[in-house]
Amino acid sequence: MTENQKSKSRKEFLVEMDDILGLSAGTLRGDENLEELENWDSTALISLIVLAETSNNVHISPEQVVGCSTVADLLRLAQVDGSST
Amino acid sequence: MTQTDALSALRFPTQPEDILRRRRSLRKELLGQPNLVTTRIAILGGSTTTELKSILELFLLLNGLQPTFYESGYNRYAEDVLFENPDLWSFKPDVVFIHTTWHNVSQFPDLMEAEKDVELRVAKEMARFESLWTKIHETFGALIIQNNFDLPNLRPLGNLEAFEASGRVSFLLRLNSQFAAYARTHSRFLINDILYLSAKVGLDEWHSQTYWYSFHMAVSPIGTVALAQNVAGIVKAAYGKSKKCLVLDLDNTLWGGVVGDDGVENLILGRDHPVGEAFADFQRYVKNLQRRGVILAVCSKNDIENAREGFSHPDSVLKLEDFSAFKANWNPKPENIREIATQLNIGLDSIVFLDDNPAERSLVADQLPEVAVPAVGSDVSRFAEALEYERYFEVGKIVQDDLNRSAYYSSNTQRSTHQASFRDYNEFLNSLEMTAEIAPFSGLYLERITQLINKTNQFNLTTKRYTSAEVESIAGDSGALTLYGRLSDRFGDNGLVSVLIGRVRNETVELDLWLMSCRVLGREMELAMFDVLIEQCQARRINMIVGVYIPSKKNSMVAGHYAGLGFTRSSESNTVQEKWQFNVPQRYSTRTRHIRVTGKLIPTVSNA
């Protein structure tokens, strides 16, 4: 990511996660448990890591992702703006 | 295929991360396409292949192929074959893709190992892979797609890696050379060139330690997108789904400037100008496509004289004679492209249209959804990249007919001029002095036969598709009756243009496939094929021919084929397929009056 590129907002990141999970845009709110999401699997996990790298320039490891239990945890890991509040 | 906004994610220029993110919705949309052709692909992986399978499926679907996959366990690519994994054996793949990388070299040379020992090691590694390939071919007859080797991203020996016999880079390049030599001498074996792909993606992007150590993915997700697209290109070509013809605009596409306004002398073309050099290089790229069998056509809004004159520019690499169709006028481009397709006897789905003008591209894409219209932008230095990216003209092997294709279309123009000088069509046909070689399938032509089977849609009675393995198997099957037909005339060789496959049961042959290239429509080639079919039936004591016609969207031209030959409609006909019967007479007068059949000696094969 270049310096001029802006990190994705929480809303934008959630919409991209909707894409990854095959959900309609606007479905995820952030408080969902990962284990309740039907399409949360290894390919979704890899897509999420790529998304964090390319969108937010944040490198996260699969082990860190596996340690998450909610969508909000993932947002914090990917350092999405406003996710730590 | 209609390109929706969603599918444009898979078209040039792409962002691999978009494809990874949207794969589920893309898959869903692609699965909704009509007329998908099924294929069975075994992925034998030297590393984890889940990602690869998921992305490969998207690119295959984009090309009209619906795959079913077999996936070996992690790094079980050799064991699954050598120890005959029953799941793989019952899967019976059409295509086997062996996804190995440098990680799968069993042993690299020791430091400072002697040259002859390194040679021995190369031979040993090669023998290991050859044993797999031989077993796959003997067991399944499947098309094998084998990765060559990428290079490691770390170099313990530094630059010595490249030239010391024991260097890993040097060793991998030797192996690649051996793999390539094998591919040149074996049919149904193709190389997936990951040495090139990894360089194009960039080794740091291609290899990722995170994905290797966490998932044992030898290629990163971003690299996997490039890899999957390349493999899909190879499979698409094997199924005859590559394009045949490149239709080009002229002004600001093949040269800079507007020839009608600026004049030939002021066109930007050639080494005197940086952009002119880019146009000349693009023309050189197009010329290379033409040399290996891609048909070229012009579709330009120009006066014809101005358009033709543009090619007299001293730095124009392309010459007028390189084009098989030339439309320069003020009519809408979709109309001209339709006429080009008719003139060349090819389907609109065989055409790629390249134009710098987004409005023209949009019009053609909208009105002719079958035509591929890459979003090339207006920068000439990226035109070739767009064509390459989409793998439009990928071929498995270049066969002689590909090299002759341009000569054929040029001689066809001569034929048309010649025809215009005759009032009587029979007189014209006689004057062509046609000779046909019609004989059972022969090893020499199997590649071309497969190519023709998989791309002929119009004069095709059943539109059944066969893989090269199936064609080879049928060629050696005594229960099959096969014929190929080549046609030449006073203007040149039309190449292998007709194929017929029948299944013999007792004293009946049922025709599974009968097709002919539209290049030779109206030349009585179908009658010549029928004459030899009758001759074969008589020699093999077959007394009944059953013709099958399966109507499709594209083959209505042959709806009356069997009736025209004197077949009677059988009561076994239904809404999906028609069956027609013909009693083989003991005495038969050949029907073609204009073709001399010189066929090779046709062996008499017993039905027993």
Side-chain angles (χ1 to χ4, degrees), chain A residues 16 19-22 39 41-47 49-51 53-54 62-63, chain B residues 17-18 20-25 50-51 54 205 210-211 213-215 217 221-222:
Chain A
E16 304 224 323
D19 249 354
I20 289 174
L21 295 167
N39 290 332
D41 58 13
S42 66
T43 50
L45 185 150
I46 286 172
S47 299
I49 295 174
V50 174
L51 175 65
E53 270 175 16
T54 54
E63 291 72 23
Chain B
E17 53 273 20
D18 279 353
L20 292 167
R21 196 185 73 233
R22 297 167 63 183
R23 65 180 103 179
R24 286 184 203 276
S25 56
T50 317
E51 278 290 291
S54 148
E205 186 81 84
T210 304
Y211 295 104
Y213 292 117
S214 299
F215 301 106
M217 284 172 67
I222 299 289

Side-chain angles (χ1 to χ4, degrees), chain B residues 162-208:
Chain B
F163 59 93
E164 278 295 342
S166 59
R168 292 192 303 179
V169 170
S170 159
F171 185 74
L172 289 165
L173 294 181
R174 284 187 202 209
L175 271 176
N176 280 353
S177 166
Q178 297 274 314
F179 275 30
Y182 186 91
R184 284 195 295 275
T185 50
H186 290 78
S187 63
R188 293 173 293 116
F189 180 90
L190 298 169
I191 295 288
N192 180 43
D193 187 5
I194 66 168
L195 179 67
Y196 168 81
L197 288 177
S198 56
K200 184 153 176 69
V201 170
L203 275 187
D204 287 341
E205 186 81 84
W206 178 263
H207 296 297
S208 159

Side-chain angles (χ1 to χ4, degrees), chain B residues 556-576:
Chain B
S556 57
M557 71 158 62
V558 287
H561 176 70
Y562 286 120
L565 287 171
F567 282 59
T568 50
R569 197 176 153 117
S570 143
S571 55
E572 287 179 49
S573 298
N574 55 43
T575 50
V576 179

Side-chain angles (χ1 to χ4, degrees), chain B residues 3 8 10-14 59 62-63 229 233 236 243 352 372-375 384-394:
Chain B
Q3 287 188 30
S8 67
L10 295 164
R11 299 285 189 196
F12 178 86
T14 56
F59 282 108
L62 185 70
N63 287 300
Q229 194 201 14
K236 167 183 80 169
K243 307 289 182 188
V352 178
V373 186
E385 191 190 338
L387 294 178
E388 289 244 325
Y389 179 86
E390 298 282 354
R391 304 327 194 247
Y392 290 126
F393 304 110
E394 183 82 30

Side-chain angles (χ1 to χ4, degrees), chain B residues 422-442:
Chain B
F422 288 91
R423 256 188 266 166
D424 179 54
Y425 191 67
N426 282 319
E427 197 186 323
F428 161 68
L429 288 181
N430 259 337
S431 74
L432 285 177
E433 298 163 13
M434 293 183 284
T435 54
E437 171 188 317
I438 300 175
F441 288 2
S442 121

